[in-house]
Amino acid sequence: MKTRMVPGLAWFLAWGTVQAQDFTLNALVEAWYVQPLDANLRLNAAAKPAGSAIYYDGLGAGRFAESTFAVKRTEIYLNGVISRDLSWSLMFDPNNSTASVGNNLLADALITWVPLKGLSVKVGQTKMPAAYEGSMVGSRDLLFFDRGQLNRLLGEVRDRCLWLVYSYGDAKTFLGRLNLAVSNGTSDDGSKGKNNDLNAQKDWTFRFDGEYRGHHKFGLYYREGVTNLKDATLTVTIPATWTVGPPTADQVKSNRDKTTLAGLFYAFDDATWHADLECASGLLGRRFPALFPAGAADSVPRREHLDQKYLGYVLSGVYKLGPHWLTARYDRMNYNSGNDWYTASNPYRTDPATGLPTGNDYTPVYTETTLGYTYLFAPTRPSLGKLKVNYIRRSRNFLAPRSGQTGAQGGDSLVTSLMLAF
């Protein structure tokens, strides 16, 4: 009896050990202290020209307006292996919950099947294989207080998808990956990709990315989609200020808020230096929609032209001295790179209703120059923990004095970030 129980108990313990090895739990916590360096950020209103959108992404959030302690991220990662060719992964961030989305804590949920060597099939909810920093650089590996403008708008959004990945080559020499994803196209609505589709149209995303000898990463990507609204529910409002070649309601519907993203990137990294460059352009489309659900309380178009294009690029550099890193980044985002609008005068400098200058400049071309210092708690494993101090110098075209006040537009910030992960 004893001799039969011991092997059975040994098998059970061995099985339990294997199961434990096939399941991993990781987490990341990041806290900020934000100090505005200009009274404008605290005192000035979020003014904008009538009929146009506020494009600068840091304006509405208020996260730079007052000196404050903030919890930026609380990411929890779960990963499991079911068999040699089947695995799953989940990521939650309780800090980013939003009342408008039912399952607001869930960020990523993926099932991965490997039917053939080099071929992976992914199904679930995740970031699309597009922008480099947004979809290929994890939170624990960020070099600055946050991702650049281009990636905050275009690369961090999620969607529900079917995603195919074909990998070839050798990581020690050259490794290439071809990515193709078809997704719902809900990335740019209030759910940020966490809702099911409302129509039959889908987004398509393609990316090629490669690595050479572990030091060089490069790639290019393209994504295209249209509105997530059903044709029968669309409402169109043509602003009265659109008087120069304005589209008809049918043309707005035919445009369907077409949305594109085309970009390329390169990154170099070794023990002493890091540098990366990313550039992307496309149609703003549904990110600043002209189509709205029938009966919507607010149906004012969120851009100045149906074919309004953006152009963004970001250049970063790091000098590494053991646990001490010196960092710098130049980040530029132009939300109307073609200077397209339907008004008789520049809508960013004049009142569209009268054509008279407002005295303010809201041209949606924003630059952020970031200088920083990073201290690594474990220099051989930078992703485990770091302290970052970043000074952000911004262009001056996104704020204006309140009525009765005087002063310059814009404002700079100092952000201290403490990140720990395991």
Side-chain angles (χ1 to χ4, degrees):
M1 185 75 171
K2 255 184 183 178
T3 55
R4 295 184 59 187
M5 287 182 62
V6 171
L9 179 59
W11 176 87
F12 177 78
L13 293 174
W15 181 86
T17 301
V18 170
Q19 294 304 302
Q21 291 174 345
D22 290 344
F23 172 81
T24 58
L25 168 65
N26 301 95
L28 175 148
V29 177
E30 182 179 3
W32 280 6
Y33 176 72
V34 177
Q35 177 63 54
L37 301 179
D38 294 276
N40 305 359
L41 285 174
R42 182 170 56 86
L43 298 176
N44 291 358
K48 68 184 182 70
S52 70
I54 297 176
Y55 293 104
Y56 183 65
D57 71 312
L59 188 60
R63 57 182 177 170
F64 301 111
E66 293 286 354
S67 56
T68 184
F69 293 99
V71 176
K72 172 61 177 173
R73 295 180 176 90
T74 56
E75 298 179 352
I76 302 168
Y77 307 87
L78 303 174
N79 297 274
V81 176
I82 305 301
S83 65
R84 185 186 299 270
D85 56 2
L86 196 62
S87 61
W88 58 270
S89 61
L90 299 173
M91 193 275 273
F92 301 87
D93 189 346
N95 188 58
N96 286 336
S97 62
T98 56
S100 61
V101 185
N103 64 336
N104 46 59
L105 302 183
L106 180 63
D108 296 317
L110 276 179
I111 297 172
T112 301
W113 176 43
V114 184
L116 300 170
K117 182 180 179 181
L119 178 64
S120 299
V121 182
K122 302 174 183 286
V123 179
Q125 174 180 297
T126 189
K127 297 176 183 179
M128 291 298 91
Y132 164 69
E133 190 186 31
S135 65
M136 297 180 68
V137 180
S139 300
R140 65 183 62 204
D141 296 315
L142 292 180
L143 300 172
F144 301 90
F145 72 101
D146 206 351
R147 294 177 170 89
Q149 296 181 86
L150 186 158
N151 281 274
R152 295 201 297 264
L153 174 72
L154 309 174
E156 286 202 289
V157 291
R158 290 168 166 82
D159 212 347
R160 294 180 174 178
C161 67
L162 169 66
W163 174 6
L164 305 179
V165 185
Y166 176 66
S167 303
Y168 62 95
D170 185 344
K172 294 182 179 179
T173 54
F174 174 81
L175 179 65
R177 285 178 291 265
L178 296 170
N179 301 262
L180 179 64
V182 54
S183 60
N184 283 339
T186 65
S187 296
D188 307 297
D189 63 15
S191 76
K192 297 186 180 298
K194 298 180 181 181
N195 277 346
N196 291 337
D197 216 338
L198 298 178
N199 62 14
Q201 283 71 39
K202 297 292 182 285
D203 277 21
W204 292 89
T205 306
F206 168 81
R207 182 177 72 206
F208 165 76
D209 59 87
E211 297 181 28
Y212 179 69
R213 294 193 178 277
H215 296 304
H216 307 269
K217 294 183 180 180
F218 47 87
L220 51 86
Y221 50 84
Y222 181 77
R223 182 177 181 181
E224 182 175 309
V226 294
T227 180
N228 186 46
L229 301 174
K230 290 185 177 179
D231 292 348
T233 66
L234 298 182
T235 184
V236 176
T237 301
I238 305 296
T241 55
W242 286 13
T243 59
V244 181
T248 65
D250 285 342
Q251 288 173 326
V252 175
K253 288 183 179 181
S254 296
N255 177 270
R256 301 187 59 75
D257 279 343
K258 184 178 179 181
T259 307
T260 62
L261 166 63
L264 50 85
F265 64 87
Y266 169 77
F268 170 81
D269 188 82
D270 67 10
T272 306
W273 297 98
H274 173 92
D276 61 67
L277 170 66
E278 183 168 12
C279 180
S281 182
L283 295 172
L284 279 181
R286 66 177 183 235
R287 301 181 184 104
F288 296 87
L291 294 172
F292 301 89
D298 182 6
S299 58
V300 178
R302 293 291 183 264
R303 60 188 192 273
E304 283 69 63
H305 198 278
L306 285 186
D307 296 323
Q308 189 168 330
K309 296 175 288 293
Y310 62 87
L311 173 64
Y313 60 84
V314 56
L315 174 64
S316 303
V318 180
Y319 179 51
K320 306 174 185 178
L321 293 164
H324 309 283
W325 289 8
L326 302 178
T327 60
R329 177 172 72 187
Y330 181 76
D331 178 8
R332 187 177 190 271
M333 191 70 185
N334 185 344
Y335 288 86
N336 196 340
S337 59
N339 292 324
D340 296 318
W341 50 72
Y342 296 116
T343 52
S345 56
N346 186 325
Y348 309 121
R349 295 175 179 267
T350 63
D351 184 334
T354 65
L356 299 176
T358 62
N360 296 315
D361 179 10
Y362 299 99
T363 302
V365 182
Y366 306 106
T367 62
E368 290 182 357
T369 302
T370 305
L371 301 177
Y373 165 77
T374 299
Y375 176 75
L376 306 179
F377 297 111
T380 59
R381 302 182 66 186
S383 62
L384 292 185
K386 57 189 72 172
L387 175 69
K388 294 178 279 190
V389 180
N390 286 175
Y391 163 63
I392 305 106
R393 169 76 177 178
R394 301 185 181 89
S395 56
R396 296 304 197 237
N397 52 322
F398 67 94
L399 279 176
R402 289 176 176 153
S403 177
Q405 291 182 338
T406 59
Q409 293 178 242
D412 302 336
S413 299
L414 187 70
V415 178
T416 302
S417 163
L418 176 63
M419 187 279 290
L420 295 176
F422 71 86

